[in-house]
Amino acid sequence: MSVQERKQRERAERERLIVATARELAEQQGWDAVTTRRLAERIEYSQPVLYSHFRGKREIIGAVALEGAAELAVAVRAATGAADGPRERVLALARAYLDFAARNVAVYDALFQLDGGLAYAREDTPEPLKDAFAALLESLGEVAGDGVPPGLFTEVFWASLHGLATLTRAGRLLPDDAVQRVELLVDRLAVV
């Protein structure tokens, strides 16, 4: 291994450590607790080293969001791949999405609530974000209904799931109705 290759590998490892530490700190204490000073202390590198990887917290949030988008795509595909039939796939998708949002609060916030400097729904949208949307589209496109563009239907269904995720987390919805809420969404919105 050349010196250059070793330095690149070490740089990539430091970057992964920064992202993992930011994510862990955000999951434990919220994003307000994630500062470059705290991250530098936790990873035992100086702030200038941290800034050599990320220009600031916004870019770190973006890196966490990209990592989370890839994980969300995997979770959705795993859930829908094990389901039989369109209705079961959509139900599995909805449950996997809501479970991801509930179990990965800081990551979900990085993806959909905070400014990570990422472009959404544009030509320059990063691949992990496009792939997360594609994971939703794969199951939702088949139930969009006649004359409804699959991408548009996926956006509306996704917005509904996002609303359920954020309202549930904020304690604005009755927890006892969670299962019925998802089934109602699937049965009324998706043509299965």
Side-chain angles (χ1 to χ4, degrees):
M1 175 184 302
S2 73
V3 171
Q4 181 66 21
E5 289 172 329
R6 182 182 54 77
K7 286 183 179 185
Q8 287 175 341
R9 188 188 73 224
E10 289 171 355
R11 180 172 176 77
E13 288 173 7
R14 270 194 314 272
E15 197 164 295
R16 279 191 296 274
L17 178 62
I18 293 165
V19 171
T21 304
R23 183 176 174 168
E24 178 183 314
L25 186 56
E27 289 291 351
Q28 292 171 352
Q29 300 176 31
W31 278 104
D32 287 341
V34 179
T35 64
T36 53
R37 177 177 292 202
R38 285 183 100 180
L39 285 175
E41 288 171 3
R42 282 204 175 194
I43 64 172
E44 298 178 346
Y45 284 101
S46 67
Q47 283 183 301
V49 168
L50 194 125
Y51 282 117
S52 74
H53 291 274
F54 299 99
R55 285 182 281 189
K57 183 175 176 176
R58 181 178 187 222
E59 283 189 6
I60 294 168
I61 290 169
V64 170
L66 293 176
E67 190 176 270
E71 293 170 8
L72 176 60
V74 167
V76 166
R77 286 188 175 113
T80 58
D84 281 335
R87 182 179 188 279
E88 290 73 22
R89 273 191 292 283
V90 175
L91 268 174
L93 178 150
R95 290 177 182 142
Y97 183 96
L98 294 171
D99 182 57
F100 180 89
R103 289 187 308 119
N104 301 281
V105 172
V107 173
Y108 192 82
D109 284 349
L111 267 165
F112 302 121
Q113 303 289 91
L114 302 174
D115 179 10
L118 303 173
Y120 285 79
R122 296 191 339 214
E123 275 298 309
D124 59 340
T125 298
E127 273 310 309
L129 299 177
K130 288 180 181 178
D131 189 50
F133 185 79
L136 300 175
L137 180 62
E138 289 162 10
S139 292
L140 294 170
E142 70 180 318
V143 298
D146 293 337
V148 178
L152 180 62
F153 178 78
T154 300
E155 289 174 345
V156 170
F157 199 91
W158 171 31
S160 299
L161 290 174
H162 177 71
L164 290 176
T166 56
L167 290 170
T168 298
R169 188 168 97 195
R172 302 293 198 271
L173 301 175
L174 295 171
D176 295 343
D177 295 335
V179 171
Q180 291 174 326
R181 217 174 273 118
V182 171
E183 289 183 2
L184 179 64
L185 175 65
V186 170
D187 292 340
R188 296 295 170 96
L189 198 54
V191 177
V192 289

